[in-house]
Amino acid sequence: MVDIETARQVALSLKGTVEQDHFGMPSFRVNKRIFSTLWVKEHRMMVKLSPIDQSVFNSFDPAIFYPVPNKWGLKGATFIELDKVRSDMLNDALTLAWEKVK
């Protein structure tokens, strides 16, 4: 399990990352491009992965990693359930999302 503040700190630990509001929720950006959003009330994060990376994480555990249920999900936008994810896996997913947009 990862709490909200830990998830925030993991995202902000990636070089050049800044936190900004995005429609009322924290977003994490590098070079002005969003790679993750924090859904505080739902206790989850969204990360922008490639569709291939999304499928790898989803195959690990679809109750933890699953596509956002809309057109963004088809492009790799992936929800992560913070109540269930291990911190090392969250770090891996955030790092991949960060690398994709930097």
Side-chain angles (χ1 to χ4, degrees), residues 5-95:
E5 192 53 37
T6 300
R8 173 180 274 118
Q9 291 307 314
V10 171
L12 289 171
S13 72
L14 298 167
K15 186 177 180 180
T17 297
V18 295
E19 181 178 341
Q20 293 181 348
D21 181 74
H22 180 70
F23 298 102
M25 70 179 65
S27 71
F28 302 96
R29 304 165 188 241
V30 64
N31 297 325
K32 300 182 181 181
R33 296 181 64 199
I34 295 174
F35 66 90
S36 181
T37 54
L38 186 57
W39 297 54
V40 175
K41 290 179 186 175
E42 294 84 355
H43 208 258
R44 70 171 66 126
M45 285 189 99
M46 183 284 302
V47 292
K48 289 184 177 178
L49 300 174
S50 71
I52 291 171
D53 289 334
Q54 179 188 68
S55 70
V56 170
F57 278 97
N58 180 254
S59 68
F60 171 74
D61 189 336
I64 299 173
F65 299 96
Y66 53 94
V68 171
N70 59 30
K71 67 179 180 177
W72 292 106
L74 296 174
K75 296 179 180 182
T78 306
F79 278 139
I80 302 172
E81 292 296 328
L82 296 176
D83 287 336
K84 300 175 183 175
V85 71
R86 294 187 338 227
S87 60
D88 61 324
M89 294 201 73
L90 175 65
N91 187 43
D92 290 348
L94 281 165
T95 300

